[in-house]
Amino acid sequence: MKAKLAIVGCGNPAQKWHLPTLHILAKHGELDFVALCDLNEPLAKQTGETYGVPWYTSIEEMLDKHPDIMAVDVVVGDPYHHVLGSAIAEHGKHVMVEKPMALTLPCCDMIIDACRRNNVHFEVAENYFRMPKQRMIIKLIKEGILGDIVRVYFMEPKRQDPFEPTVTHKGLGRPISGFGRTSGMCMDMGAHRLSQLRLYAQSEPVQIAGTVRKYRSDPKSIHEDWAHALIDFESGAVGIYETSRLGEAQKYCQITGTRGNILDNDYFGPEIPLRMLIGEEMQDIPVETVRRNIDGVDVLQRIIVHTDPKIVYENPFRDYPIDDWCVGHASEIMSLANTALNDEPPEYGLGGRKDVEMAMAIYESSLNNMTPIKLPIKDMTSYEQMLHEDYRKKFSRPIDQF
Ligand SMILES: NC(=O)c1ccc[n+]([C@@H]2O[C@H](COP(=O)([O-])OP(=O)(O)OC[C@H]3O[C@@H](n4cnc5c(N)ncnc54)[C@H](O)[C@@H]3O)[C@@H](O)[C@H]2O)c1
């Protein structure tokens, strides 16, 4: 038996990654791709015709016509994750939402509660840690190759703009969100990076201090263009996160352990720049990748790290024309399919809520002059209250009514 999946939202990320990956997995018999839905009728129709699946403009109609759908992959903008995630769970279907899981922790909890009430599972489409290079890095950390993790850094340039010399920076202002397709930078790429920092540290954050600033005067852009956070992990490790749209682009990821180090200035590239303490000296450790061309796609077969003994990552999708990036999506889609078929918890699930919690702590700390925020967050933060008020103004209804 195969899991029967549908997708809601056929915009940019679905066209580039989710739909082609779903299609390849279905073609190779891993799952059934049953139907798709988008509010935009021409887009739904064209996409349905491209992939040869029935298309709809309403999820109710899609789920009504296809009661065999077991799980739904939701690829719509951030402000609608809690709305569609909860609605699909209320239909008794397992659900996966794109990252960030939802706008605030109460919104995450709406999805979680709807899933609990209806005995279904939820997954979050956090794709970065599922990509081959990241799987190998996390495997090296888990196997103790770097020793105890002491510091983890992630510095993320988004699009780089010059600083405007005349603008003095502001912190978070009102309205706090424009409720566009994606949230602020700490939630957008931040969801990925905070996830990676937590997985690199292999520990839970206990306290975060952060500052979020807006330097550019563009009135269309409400969100921050720069943010910095210091994260204390339970293990004693420290995380340093910076995201920026300003200044020169600098990609910088460093994972420092007591026995080894990964310093990666090209974290989208395939290399794993690993150094380890051998005797008294830090030495470069060769990392080999084996690749094969399948239907014109350069497909990773395995990564071999030449430690003694060797450490090997085998790509579970090595026989399919799926590139390194889409292995992340294939892996999250198969997590949802497995959940639906075997009623097992998905691979990431609550991890998606933790990433939102870390971002909420950064925003809250920034609103409170960088006061460290303790985690787990127990009460609704003032940032979340402001966001919920702004949501009510924008959509003329409370955030939990849809
Ligand atoms: N994991 C990644 O690497 C990655 C990359 C890019 C975007 N994303 C995430 O993907 C999500 C979608 O991104 P986007 O907003 O830029 O995509 P988008 O705006 O290009 O597409 C969203 C689509 O959803 C449709 N839609 C909205 N509400 C709907 C509803 N109720 N029923 C049916 N269809 C509906 C819209 O018509 C649109 O076509 C965001 O949450 C974003 O953070 C993730």
Side-chain angles (χ1 to χ4, degrees):
M1 189 173 162
K2 286 184 262 178
K4 296 186 183 309
L5 266 57
I7 185 166
V8 177
C10 300
N12 195 35
Q15 296 291 338
K16 275 162 79 180
W17 307 306
H18 288 250
L19 286 157
T21 309
L22 259 173
H23 175 72
I24 291 172
L25 292 171
K27 196 172 145 196
H28 287 85
E30 296 282 1
L31 49 83
D32 284 334
F33 179 12
V34 178
L36 60 82
C37 172
D38 197 292
L39 285 178
N40 176 334
E41 185 167 344
L43 180 64
K45 180 171 185 288
Q46 187 203 5
T47 312
E49 286 168 3
T50 302
Y51 288 102
V53 295
W55 56 271
Y56 298 89
T57 54
S58 125
I59 54 165
E60 276 71 29
E61 193 189 349
M62 179 177 82
L63 295 175
D64 203 39
K65 292 254 172 70
H66 300 273
D68 58 336
I69 289 173
M70 298 158 92
V72 182
D73 179 12
V74 176
V75 195
V76 303
D78 301 0
Y80 312 105
H81 290 183
H82 70 289
V83 178
L84 292 186
S86 307
I88 286 160
E90 295 294 355
H91 279 86
K93 311 293 179 189
H94 304 280
V95 63
M96 175 163 77
V97 291
E98 253 298 348
K99 54 50 62 179
M101 181 176 170
L103 295 173
T104 60
L105 292 173
C107 289
C108 292
D109 293 339
M110 284 175 217
I111 303 176
I112 295 171
D113 292 345
C115 285
R116 284 206 183 118
R117 275 198 307 279
N118 292 283
N119 277 321
V120 289
H121 294 290
F122 72 93
E123 177 60 306
V124 177
E126 175 48 59
N127 50 326
Y128 273 79
F129 78 92
R130 304 186 218 239
M131 294 181 201
K133 167 172 165 170
Q134 296 300 326
R135 290 275 194 201
M136 180 49 117
I137 290 176
I138 293 164
K139 192 174 162 92
L140 293 172
I141 294 168
K142 281 188 171 167
E143 295 200 9
I145 297 299
L146 302 187
D148 296 331
I149 301 301
V150 183
R151 279 183 313 223
V152 286
Y153 298 79
F154 223 114
M155 312 236 166
E156 169 95 310
K158 266 283 262 210
R159 188 191 70 238
Q160 293 295 297
D161 293 323
F163 277 86
E164 286 181 26
T166 51
V167 175
T168 37
H169 78 78
K170 296 192 178 60
L172 290 159
R174 298 298 289 270
I176 209 140
S177 172
F179 301 105
R181 291 153 58 185
T182 52
S183 312
M185 293 165 72
C186 293
M187 288 282 274
D188 184 18
M189 290 312 285
H192 298 304
R193 302 315 175 213
L194 297 169
S195 159
Q196 284 172 280
L197 285 171
R198 200 161 44 75
L199 294 171
Y200 293 160
Q202 285 291 301
S203 180
E204 295 303 322
V206 288
Q207 176 170 284
I208 300 184
T211 181
V212 174
R213 297 185 180 190
K214 184 166 159 42
Y215 286 89
R216 289 181 67 84
S217 55
D218 178 358
K220 286 195 292 270
S221 154
I222 290 167
H223 296 300
E224 69 274 14
D225 20 66
W226 186 86
H228 195 104
L230 198 61
I231 306 159
D232 274 325
F233 288 97
E234 206 171 5
S235 63
V238 173
I240 294 126
Y241 170 62
E242 181 175 314
T243 180
S244 177
R245 279 193 199 283
L246 302 162
E248 294 296 329
Q250 48 151 0
K251 285 197 202 118
Y252 182 83
C253 172
Q254 184 166 189
I255 309 163
T256 309
T258 49
R259 296 200 50 77
N261 196 58
I262 292 173
L263 170 55
D264 196 356
N265 292 115
D266 183 17
Y267 41 74
F268 288 114
E271 311 297 332
I272 301 180
L274 169 66
R275 282 163 65 75
M276 268 177 74
L277 198 60
I278 311 273
E280 303 278 295
E281 264 183 49
M282 288 294 275
Q283 289 183 13
D284 292 332
I285 306 297
V287 179
E288 186 187 343
T289 49
V290 180
R291 311 188 76 92
R292 176 159 72 103
N293 187 298
I294 303 176
D295 300 344
V297 180
D298 184 25
V299 181
L300 179 91
Q301 301 297 294
R302 66 191 61 82
I303 306 175
I304 305 150
V305 174
H306 288 276
T307 41
D308 184 17
K310 291 175 191 161
I311 297 179
V312 180
Y313 160 86
E314 291 277 354
N315 177 7
F317 304 101
R318 61 188 169 277
D319 294 327
Y320 304 155
I322 296 179
D323 64 18
D324 291 32
W325 179 278
C326 281
V327 167
H329 292 287
S331 175
E332 72 202 15
I333 290 167
M334 288 313 297
S335 168
L336 180 67
N338 182 52
T339 282
L341 211 52
N342 303 318
D343 196 26
E344 282 172 11
E347 185 179 12
Y348 201 57
L350 280 172
R353 188 186 186 281
K354 287 182 185 170
D355 303 333
V356 173
E357 186 174 39
M358 291 173 79
M360 291 302 114
I362 297 174
Y363 287 129
E364 191 62 9
S365 174
S366 187
L367 284 169
N368 288 283
N369 288 322
M370 294 183 72
T371 305
I373 303 297
K374 300 254 182 256
L375 279 82
I377 294 176
K378 296 210 173 76
D379 300 314
M380 199 168 162
T381 62
S382 51
Y383 173 83
E384 291 173 314
Q385 282 166 22
M386 284 157 75
L387 190 135
H388 286 203
E389 281 165 21
D390 288 352
Y391 184 100
R392 181 197 276 270
K393 277 196 195 117
K394 167 119 184 170
F395 295 99
S396 307
R397 60 167 193 271
I399 202 161
D400 58 354
Q401 278 179 24
F402 34 82

